[in-house]
Amino acid sequence: MMASGRKIKAPFVPLLLALLATLTMADDCGSEFKGRCSCGLQTYNYRTQYVVNCTNTGFRNTSMLEHLPPQTEVLIFNGNNVEQLPWNVFGALNDLANLTIVDMSNNHIREIRGKSYHHVPNVRRLILNHNNLSISRYDDEEYNHHHPRVFSNFINLQELHLTNAFADNTSAELSTDLHDIFVSSNLTKLVKLHLEQNEIVQFNDKRVFCDLPALLDLHLGDNLLTELNFNLSCMPRLRFLDLERNRFELVRPRDLALLDAVQAQPGRAVPLTVDFTYNPFVCDCTLLPLFDWLDRTNVTVRNRDGLVCLRNRQAREPLRTLNVTRCRKQRGTGTGAPDGHTGTLLLVLVCLSCVLLALVAGLLYVSKDKLRGLLTPVVDHVSKKVHYTTIKDEEAPEQYV
């Protein structure tokens, strides 16, 4: 090959081919895609891959996905309006051995059937963020949306992204439904699980994550958790636990001990890292266990020195400003902290006692006539008895004269 009388060096040939492929990719998807998607080689995740991109295309079904080019490596199907995924989304006969990433975020998906995903043996990353998934058998009186084997064909899945994926006001049984899916789908190679922004208050099923033996990173940020009420010891490889932006006002000693136990498991290759950033910790002595734990634990706490607490639920203060000397003295004498929750509780008790005394006094005043009528005969009887006893005692000595 010649250019201006000079031969182009061999290392530039692959770059030219990649550039030409990128420039000519735009509309080579097939008639089923109605010219709305782009298909071809492009840079994705820092390397050149064959990408099918159907973003904000207005599709209301997934029929075109049955005709994905067999060389597809990345599918991006975002911003459409498909409430239900049918059986065999990618076609019953399609061979997609190269497909490694599927992103179906923000499609208003409500239900994924148990046989929706087939021909996905090499998919490593599945992204279903910002949908309206219902996975509970109790959400609808007519239809059962609980399909435990929904991910069973993703035999090599390593990342599952379910950020803001579930319907608002998620069922309290979410953890049980998720556990059923994890058990039945056999996700033995899953290393990253994202469950942020799902309004999770607690996990009723304590073993919800125990059937994910390879799990490394568990992302639970931006939920409503106040404690660690799920089993961590069953995840021996766990390296990162994301708890930022939840509702922790304190961290209970048992939860701190649980984190230490995970870190102390034999054979651990990397330290456990936990993130408590942006939780509404209360600036009082209930934080003393956390304060002491930060100085002695082998767990890595992300942004440890930047943790803050709230004074009177408004003013932010560095957690390190806690008056630990006073708190330890109060703990040693068995007294509670006079500020924060304890001070509020004492004030409420004092107020209730005053109200109770006032009510008793008012009742006695209103019923004084009735009480006088009831008590007068009793007083007269006692007086007569005392008077009689006194007379008898005065006469008694004469018997011995």
Side-chain angles (χ1 to χ4, degrees), residues 1 18 81 113 115-116 120 128 141 161 164 177 208 271 274-276 291:
M1 183 182 291
N81 192 357
R113 294 187 176 183
K115 297 181 181 180
S116 291
V120 288
L128 292 167
E141 294 181 358
H161 296 251
N164 190 30
D177 298 327
V208 56
V274 62
D275 191 345
F276 283 114
F291 189 97

Side-chain angles (χ1 to χ4, degrees), residues 283-298:
C283 296
D284 63 22
C285 292
T286 58
L287 284 183
L288 184 58
L290 175 61
F291 189 97
D292 290 340
W293 180 79
L294 290 173
D295 286 333
R296 61 175 170 76
T297 185
N298 290 323

Side-chain angles (χ1 to χ4, degrees), residues 214-252:
L215 195 64
L216 296 176
D217 302 336
L218 178 56
H219 296 263
L220 297 172
D222 290 286
N223 280 293
L224 306 175
L225 297 171
T226 60
E227 61 179 329
L228 296 178
N229 66 331
F230 56 92
N231 193 331
L232 281 174
S233 61
C234 62
M235 294 178 280
R237 300 183 60 194
L238 189 67
R239 68 182 180 188
F240 179 56
L241 178 60
D242 173 24
L243 296 169
E244 62 179 329
R245 294 187 181 89
N246 272 275
R247 296 291 178 86
F248 285 85
E249 295 186 355
L250 55 91
V251 185
R252 292 170 172 80

